[in-house]
Amino acid sequence: MKVAYRSDIGRIRLVNEDRGWAQLMETGLAVAIVADGMGGHQAGDVASQLAVDTFKEVLLGTTATLTLEEKKVLIRQAILQANEVIYDMASRNDQYHNMGTTVVAALLQTESGVIGHIGDSRAYKWRDGVLSQLTDDHTLVNELVKSGQITIEEAANHPRRNVLTRALGTDEQVEVDVKGISWKPGDMLLLCSDGLTNMLSIQEMADTLSQDDLDLDAKADRLIQLALQAGGDDNITVVLLHHAEDTEQEE
């Protein structure tokens, strides 16, 4: 398995409130997370960093090979623990009041994996030249689309498209969406913040991942560059995991 991780502040923002982490464990488990923080006075980057740190802490204690059900339990537990830590910090410090973050995370092993998410950071799977979205945005606009009140085209430019219906750390209790996925040689997983998906179409992302002349590192770089060229309105974070025969970690 191969891993590449990239994050860029973008062209507009003064602070990068995105955080990410990806690692290949000795057990053959690949672990990755992207968090996109929100909140005034730089509270967003505190929330996203806490999410990543807590997630990492829980996952680094994993030594065994896990079944699909065990992976689902573990990813939910890690995300809920992060929620607890962020909510507690926000409750005790006025400057962090109402801070929160999105989160999308993955645990992958040989033939199967799990995705856990809250908010509008997304996971996509690339298989045989086709890129499929695995997560469902927890946003007001997505609710309007699902109820038939607006079209997908209208959603793309809706003035309230960044309003989340669910976030990590803003409430004491939160629901995590967890799903199992198949994972076979040749597959690629893309985890990203909305700084990528608000700038690029799914076709543009698929075209980049399909380029055989680019290694995984170069594909991550290309995605960031395309988002910057399209305007770079937000922080942009990308994690790519490739189910390849050889194993390497890119930084």
Side-chain angles (χ1 to χ4, degrees):
M1 202 146 6
K2 295 182 179 180
V3 179
Y5 163 60
R6 292 286 182 279
S7 189
D8 193 282
I9 195 169
R11 298 194 182 282
I12 311 291
R13 300 297 172 92
L14 300 175
V15 176
N16 191 346
E17 295 186 320
D18 284 3
R19 294 290 184 274
W21 172 67
Q23 189 157 323
L24 304 171
M25 321 279 266
E26 287 175 10
T27 55
L29 182 71
V31 186
I33 180 172
V34 168
D36 177 357
M38 60 200 189
H41 309 296
Q42 297 186 2
D45 52 344
V46 172
S48 56
Q49 189 66 57
L50 284 172
V52 171
D53 289 347
T54 308
F55 186 83
K56 189 189 289 192
E57 209 173 287
V58 174
L59 268 299
L60 286 177
T62 309
T63 52
T65 301
L66 303 168
T67 65
L68 181 63
E69 284 310 310
E70 285 170 338
K71 285 199 279 280
K72 285 183 178 179
V73 169
L74 185 61
I75 203 167
R76 181 175 276 113
Q77 180 193 336
I79 292 172
L80 289 177
Q81 202 161 312
N83 188 72
E84 211 173 284
V85 169
I86 297 165
Y87 182 76
D88 181 59
M89 171 82 86
S91 304
R92 290 186 290 108
N93 297 275
D94 284 349
Q95 75 266 36
Y96 298 144
H97 178 64
N98 268 347
M99 73 173 174
T101 181
T102 69
V103 63
V104 60
L107 307 183
L108 302 168
Q109 225 164 4
T110 326
E111 293 169 3
S112 70
V114 294
I115 306 291
H117 97 288
I118 297 172
D120 61 356
S121 291
R122 293 179 183 174
Y124 293 86
K125 184 168 74 174
W126 186 88
R127 174 178 283 175
D128 301 331
V130 177
L131 190 63
S132 312
Q133 186 175 332
L134 302 175
T135 50
D136 195 26
D137 292 349
H138 300 137
T139 59
L140 176 65
V141 161
N142 194 36
E143 292 300 323
L144 294 175
V145 170
K146 288 197 288 188
S147 64
Q149 294 180 58
I150 63 172
T151 65
I152 289 173
E153 290 71 31
E154 287 169 333
N157 299 305
H158 197 281
R160 302 190 68 195
R161 68 180 182 273
N162 295 326
V163 177
L164 298 177
T165 53
R166 209 190 298 178
L168 189 75
T170 53
D171 294 288
E172 197 167 1
Q173 304 292 328
V174 70
E175 189 185 342
V176 188
D177 284 7
V178 175
K179 70 185 289 181
I181 61 166
S182 66
W183 182 240
K184 65 180 192 181
D187 287 354
M188 222 179 299
L189 192 73
L190 163 64
L191 304 184
C192 59
S193 60
D194 66 345
L196 184 76
T197 52
N198 284 342
M199 293 288 111
L200 301 185
S201 67
I202 193 164
Q203 190 56 54
E204 288 171 308
M205 294 189 285
D207 288 347
T208 299
L209 298 183
S210 301
Q211 292 185 8
D212 293 336
D213 57 327
L214 300 179
D215 64 12
L216 201 64
D217 229 15
K219 285 174 182 174
D221 283 333
R222 174 69 59 85
L223 288 170
I224 296 275
Q225 287 308 315
L226 288 172
L228 289 170
Q229 286 165 18
D233 293 354
D234 200 352
N235 310 143
I236 312 149
T237 299
V238 168
V239 171
L240 288 176
L241 300 107
H242 186 205
H243 197 323
E245 294 306 311
D246 49 347
T247 294
E248 62 182 77
Q249 184 148 339
E250 313 262 10
E251 280 305 335

